[in-house]
Amino acid sequence: MKPINFLNNNFIKFTILIISVLFFTACEKDEQADSTITIGTCEVMDIVNTTGEILARIINTDIVRNDIIAEAIETKGAGENIRELLTNKLDCGLTNDISAVIAYNGDKTYAKYPNHSDLRSMCSFFTESIVFIVRENSRIKNFKDIIGKKIAITAAEEASIGDIAKYMLQFYNIKEKDFTRLTYGLEKSVLALDKGEIDGFLFVTSQPSPYLLGLTNTKGVKCRFVQFSKELMSYLKTKIPSLTYTKIPADMYPNSINQKDITTLGCHVLLLTMKEMKDDIVYYLTKEICTYFPEYESVHPSFEEVTKKSMAEHLTLPVHPGALKYYKEIGIAKYIPKDLLPKSK
């Protein structure tokens, strides 16, 4: 694959952020702290991974006063982060509202974890978009055209797109035997599409994505974002109410085939912890994150939508008492959905 176009301002900012955050976080780990807070992220070049590094950077700016040091841990993503929380291998984890709700309700593989309902929300961040990108010569114009094709879709146990795909296949009455499904992650999907090993892939990611910028900028393959039908998107919203409409601007990926903006659906990225995490620690973490995260808005377009208010109003699991204390303190607890607040005694 041809290297990413380094003249792209968004990519330059994103790359500088990764380098600077990793450097400063590494330097701060030499400090002494009584407690280490681990934060599960995802693949390195994904903005969720960088978000985790930013959170660690924010928390680590005052290690001495608070005796807490944060460490961002690279993982496979949402599903692994939730499982690591449920087995006490992580203190906090970045995921999205789809995976979070499925886990909290004890659906699918999460039923075997007796503490699944102990998951708690801390903060909500930006929106990730459902993306279906295909090779132009695949002749795929609509999701229903995947019959007989090779399509990469991550397994439901690893990422929310697997659960979304289940309903997409259901809507068009497409069976698993009707196409070849490869359960690749984002990086492997991009490489496979570039090499012509697959016809397309379905994924949930923030926009713009460095992976997709690199893919659409290569001269070796012509790619196109597929527009979902209004009927399909309406159906998905009945199955997953937390989904929200969002757009992929055509000028965001100028070297793709698309000439018009793509309307799609998205989900919010959340920071979760467990109910047993001490209130004072969660209060401190939430306060630090909400105070300083919005300062990174110029680094990536996804961050521009994040405000203190949005961090509270887009929560989808019961809010942790420590986080709630901070939201009350600054007067934004009123934006938290009422069904996520502790029941009055």
Side-chain angles (χ1 to χ4, degrees), residues 228-291:
F228 300 129
S229 70
K230 293 180 180 179
E231 294 77 12
L232 173 60
M233 290 190 286
S234 295
Y235 180 76
L236 290 176
K237 279 187 65 62
T238 65
K239 296 297 183 180
I240 310 174
S242 62
L243 287 173
T244 183
Y245 286 101
T246 185
K247 287 185 180 296
I248 302 174
D251 60 3
M252 187 171 281
Y253 299 100
N255 293 320
S256 72
I257 299 298
N258 301 82
Q259 298 298 311
K260 297 181 179 180
D261 295 351
I262 294 293
T263 300
T264 184
L265 295 170
C267 50
H268 286 94
V269 172
L270 304 174
L271 181 64
L272 302 183
T273 188
M274 297 298 292
K275 182 174 70 174
E276 59 265 25
M277 176 79 86
K278 293 181 179 179
D279 290 3
D280 59 340
I281 292 179
V282 176
Y283 166 81
Y284 163 68
L285 297 178
T286 306
K287 180 178 180 179
E288 293 294 293
I289 292 168
C290 289
T291 299

Side-chain angles (χ1 to χ4, degrees), residues 286-322:
T286 306
K287 180 178 180 179
E288 293 294 293
I289 292 168
C290 289
T291 299
Y292 296 107
F293 189 86
E295 294 184 4
Y296 289 87
E297 66 176 358
S298 64
V299 174
H300 192 278
S302 293
F303 292 174
E304 294 174 5
E305 66 185 82
V306 183
T307 64
K308 290 182 181 180
K309 176 185 173 184
S310 73
M311 286 181 165
E313 70 179 341
H314 295 308
L315 298 178
T316 51
L317 294 192
V319 60
H320 192 286

